[in-house]
Amino acid sequence: MEQGKRPLPKRRLSGFQWIVILCAVGFAAWYLYISFAPAAATYGTVEAGMLGAYYTGDALIVRNETPFEADGVTSIRYTAEEGKVCTRGLEICNVFSSGYSTKEMTTLQAYRDDLRDYELSLLEQTTTFDAKMDRLNSDVLAAAREVREIIFEGGGGLSNQETMVKLALDRRQQYLQQKYATDQRLSRLVDDENAQRQRIQSWTKQYAATSEAIVSFYSDGYEYGLNMTNYLTFTPTQVRAMINGQVPERISQVTSAKSKTTIYRTVQDGEWAVLMLVHDTSWNPVEGQTYELQLERFENTQVTATVESFTRSGGELLVRLKVNADVTPVLYMRTCQVTLGDRIATMKVPSRALYEQSGMTGVVVVNGDKESFIPVNVVYDAGSYAYITAVTQGLLFEGQTVLLF
């Protein structure tokens, strides 16, 4: 630098120049956005929607069930299948009362073994050919062979085939007793077997279904005092006590003898009830109104329940609900948590689909190259989506295409 010369001062941008630069940057950003950003969707789809309030609570399940009991029970042999429908007259179980013991069955089997061994010895001593006996033996073997084929190869009805085996054995037994009717030892063995069988039968009672119903061998004791005939009469206090484990009093008010045992219960399908203590006691349910009911542990199972009545008392709100549905999901359930939904069926569209025309709110439905304005009622606008119903029913349905604005 030459001596005596001062450095030139730095030039600063004026305010106008800054404004020009900012405008240029903003224009460049806008241009890049409209050039590369994805275009907003111009079409949407009508979807099914559901709105409403939900109420939770503690529930007591009520079934249309009848318990059966017996006195002096020592053991039970069930012939029906747990949880299955039994038709009228079908055998459910055999109950062995006091006086019976397994020793009696052991004695009966011993008599039968002696009878079988003696009959075999008589047949072995026979020297002449007996065509009828040979045919009866063939029938027994053929029936037994078919049972084995069913077991190992599958197919056919095993219970029916077992009946055929028993029938073939009975026919052979009857013929043997006729053929050797004068044999005193055989007669004595037959009398001993019959006497022991009758002895056991005197201590055995057979139970059969009195009507078509589901049969279950599990009982909690509530069946005697809580059923579909009286569930509308219980108060909130009584329901709370039962939910907490207090078994209701018997309807007959007659105390069962200590020796009586509940042997099974029958449950009518298609109808059951729920006594619900609602957590939100400020709710005002509507009698006769239907709601969606969901039970705990059955998140994917919902049923429609109708409010029969409700009562407010002692700080509790009791809602009595009737359900017309399969009873199987609640066959073994007595108490649980439930959710009751007051739901409204609606349609759901993107909020941008709402359009004003002639003072009415609606959506524009696109069908090919045709566009139709359909007036709607906006039930609820959730921001990105709006829940709507058509002013005129039948014009709006799920899957239609609508314009977005």
Side-chain angles (χ1 to χ4, degrees):
M1 179 181 296
E2 295 182 8
Q3 212 159 17
K5 288 186 178 182
R6 292 187 293 180
L8 295 173
K10 294 181 179 180
R11 298 184 63 184
R12 296 182 178 179
L13 296 177
S14 65
F16 175 75
Q17 290 173 318
W18 276 111
I19 292 174
V20 172
I21 293 172
L22 290 174
C23 289
V25 173
F27 176 80
W30 172 80
Y31 179 78
L32 291 172
Y33 176 78
I34 63 172
S35 298
F36 299 103
T42 56
Y43 298 99
T45 304
V46 179
E47 302 176 25
M50 196 68 70
L51 279 178
Y54 295 88
Y55 307 94
T56 60
D58 305 318
L60 184 70
I61 306 299
V62 185
R63 296 175 289 265
N64 187 3
E65 55 193 344
T66 304
F68 292 82
E69 58 185 10
D71 196 9
V73 175
T74 58
S75 64
I76 306 171
R77 182 171 61 85
Y78 292 107
T79 53
E81 188 175 351
E82 167 66 29
K84 299 298 182 181
V85 176
C86 289
T87 56
R88 181 182 175 87
L90 184 69
E91 181 182 309
I92 295 177
C93 64
N94 288 289
V95 177
F96 300 90
S97 60
S98 56
Y100 167 81
S101 68
T102 55
K103 179 182 177 181
E104 303 298 337
M105 286 298 297
T106 302
T107 302
L108 176 61
Q109 188 58 48
Y111 285 145
R112 288 175 172 172
D113 291 343
D114 290 343
L115 180 59
R116 178 202 60 202
D117 294 341
Y118 186 65
E119 287 175 342
L120 288 174
S121 67
L122 289 176
L123 291 173
E124 290 174 355
Q125 295 172 13
T126 302
T127 57
T128 57
F129 177 73
D130 189 332
K132 185 174 182 180
M133 177 59 70
D134 186 66
R135 185 177 68 254
L136 291 172
N137 284 331
S138 298
D139 291 343
V140 172
L141 291 174
R145 191 180 301 111
E146 290 185 21
V147 169
R148 191 171 74 170
E149 290 176 355
I150 291 174
I151 293 175
F152 289 102
E153 299 178 11
L158 184 59
S159 60
N160 291 335
Q161 194 57 40
E162 288 176 343
T163 301
M164 297 300 294
V165 172
K166 184 178 183 304
L167 183 61
L169 288 170
D170 289 343
R171 287 172 178 169
R172 187 177 67 176
Q173 183 71 15
Q174 290 173 4
Y175 179 70
L176 276 170
Q177 293 177 14
Q178 293 173 2
K179 182 176 181 178
Y180 299 103
T182 59
D183 190 299
Q184 294 184 356
R185 183 180 176 186
L186 179 62
S187 299
R188 188 181 73 254
L189 289 172
V190 171
D191 291 342
D192 290 343
E193 192 265 347
N194 288 334
Q196 184 64 16
R197 186 173 63 250
Q198 292 173 3
R199 179 182 176 87
I200 292 174
Q201 289 175 347
S202 68
W203 295 320
T204 306
K205 183 177 181 180
Q206 184 185 91
Y207 286 80
T210 56
S211 63
E212 183 173 306
I214 298 172
V215 64
S216 175
F217 311 126
Y218 300 96
S219 168
D220 60 6
Y222 282 67
E223 304 90 350
Y224 292 95
L226 176 68
N227 54 44
M228 295 297 291
T229 63
N230 69 340
Y231 77 100
L232 295 174
T233 65
F234 289 102
T235 66
T237 301
Q238 290 172 317
V239 172
R240 176 60 69 186
M242 285 187 281
I243 289 176
N244 290 338
Q246 182 177 317
V247 179
E249 294 183 2
R250 289 171 175 255
I251 297 175
S252 64
Q253 301 298 320
V254 177
T255 303
S256 177
K258 291 183 179 181
S259 60
K260 284 190 177 294
T261 302
T262 302
I263 53 177
Y264 68 92
R265 62 186 169 109
T266 57
V267 185
Q268 299 296 322
D269 195 11
E271 180 184 77
W272 45 284
V274 175
L275 296 176
M276 178 181 178
L277 292 173
V278 184
H279 294 155
D280 182 4
T281 57
S282 64
W283 177 45
N284 292 309
V286 179
E287 292 186 5
Q289 181 69 41
T290 58
Y291 299 88
E292 294 297 318
L293 179 69
Q294 180 175 297
L295 285 71
E296 67 172 353
R297 301 195 298 274
F298 290 91
E299 290 80 5
N300 297 325
T301 301
Q302 290 186 338
V303 294
T304 301
T306 303
V307 175
E308 296 286 286
S309 63
F310 65 94
T311 301
R312 281 190 175 87
S313 176
E316 299 262 31
L317 170 60
L318 171 62
V319 180
R320 305 174 184 91
L321 302 159
K322 187 175 181 180
V323 179
N324 292 309
D326 181 15
V327 75
T328 304
V330 295
L331 189 61
Y332 307 105
M333 183 185 294
R334 184 62 72 183
T335 61
C336 64
Q337 295 287 311
V338 296
T339 300
L340 196 64
D342 179 10
R343 307 207 300 174
I344 302 172
T346 66
M347 296 294 175
K348 186 174 73 170
V349 296
S351 296
R352 289 175 52 207
L354 298 178
Y355 182 74
E356 294 287 337
Q357 179 177 301
S358 302
M360 293 186 295
T361 300
V363 294
V364 178
V365 174
V366 179
N367 185 8
D369 57 355
K370 184 179 179 182
E371 298 179 356
S372 304
F373 176 78
I374 299 179
V376 300
N377 298 312
V378 180
V379 180
Y380 177 69
D381 192 338
S384 59
Y385 276 91
Y387 294 84
I388 61 175
T389 57
V391 173
T392 303
Q393 296 296 319
L395 297 182
L396 197 65
F397 51 86
E398 186 179 358
Q400 286 178 312
T401 301
V402 292
L403 281 178
L404 301 183
F405 302 93

